[in-house]
Amino acid sequence: MTARIFETPAALLAAVGESFEPTGWVAIEQDRIDMFAQATDDHQWIHVDPERAKDGPFGGTIAHGYLTMSLVNRFLPELVEVRGVSMGVNIGTDNLRFLSPVRAGTRIRGKGELVKAEEAKGGVQAVVRVTVEIEGSEKPACVVDTISRFYPEN
């Protein structure tokens, strides 16, 4: 699991359609879910009440969808490394879909594909589709198109 290295932002332009090696696994434990609930004030019982959640629709607590999505930012540097930049900026996301809940105690990882790259305002804008996989599950937790802009060194 090594990030795909691009020596310059312009190198992204020729790599559209390329898939990247998956990242390492990340454990989603209850304490991480609880910290996310605290940070976002989202204390819904399906996330933070293991006793009640045992009898709920998922058989236990689940991670917030936005917790899962936020970990995409952790996965991106493991998927793609762009060198020769003065800075990289997150522009946003497109097409975010939550497809399967992430139960507390499971592990997730990211898989990526460069779906678009184009010159934009002094740099290169890239769309990397990240699929968040759940260990042992055929259905992913979520899929999101991340949009980043990379500015070359002067």
Side-chain angles (χ1 to χ4, degrees):
M1 92 189 122
T2 304
R4 167 65 161 89
I5 297 171
F6 295 92
E7 293 299 330
T8 65
L12 291 160
L13 299 171
V16 173
E18 187 174 325
S19 294
F20 310 122
E21 293 291 319
T23 68
W25 293 103
V26 174
I28 305 300
E29 301 296 345
Q30 188 62 50
D31 63 334
R32 183 186 297 258
I33 296 168
D34 292 342
M35 286 188 290
F36 190 84
Q38 189 66 30
T40 61
D41 288 330
D42 182 349
H43 300 282
Q44 188 175 170
W45 63 270
I46 62 172
H47 304 303
V48 298
D49 188 341
E51 196 58 40
R52 183 175 177 193
K54 278 194 285 189
D55 297 323
F58 307 107
T61 55
I62 60 169
H64 303 73
Y66 285 114
L67 168 56
T68 303
M69 194 272 301
S70 71
L71 289 170
V72 167
N73 195 55
R74 180 192 191 281
F75 296 142
L76 279 170
E78 289 185 49
L79 295 168
V80 177
E81 178 183 340
V82 182
R83 296 179 177 170
V85 297
S86 61
M87 69 175 167
V89 178
N90 293 326
I91 300 297
T93 63
D94 278 336
N95 304 318
L96 170 62
R97 297 292 181 265
F98 298 114
L99 303 171
S100 189
V102 177
R103 291 196 50 189
T106 60
R107 298 191 316 164
I108 62 173
R109 70 177 179 184
K111 215 170 61 170
E113 175 190 358
L114 182 62
V115 296
K116 186 176 182 181
E118 60 190 4
E119 293 183 15
K121 297 182 184 178
V124 172
Q125 186 161 297
V127 177
V128 175
R129 179 167 296 141
V130 179
T131 300
V132 178
E133 300 179 318
I134 305 168
E135 188 174 38
S137 175
E138 294 205 14
K139 194 170 186 180
C142 78
V143 178
V144 60
D145 289 350
T146 65
I147 308 167
S148 303
R149 192 168 295 167
F150 300 95
Y151 296 94
E153 292 176 328
N154 295 333

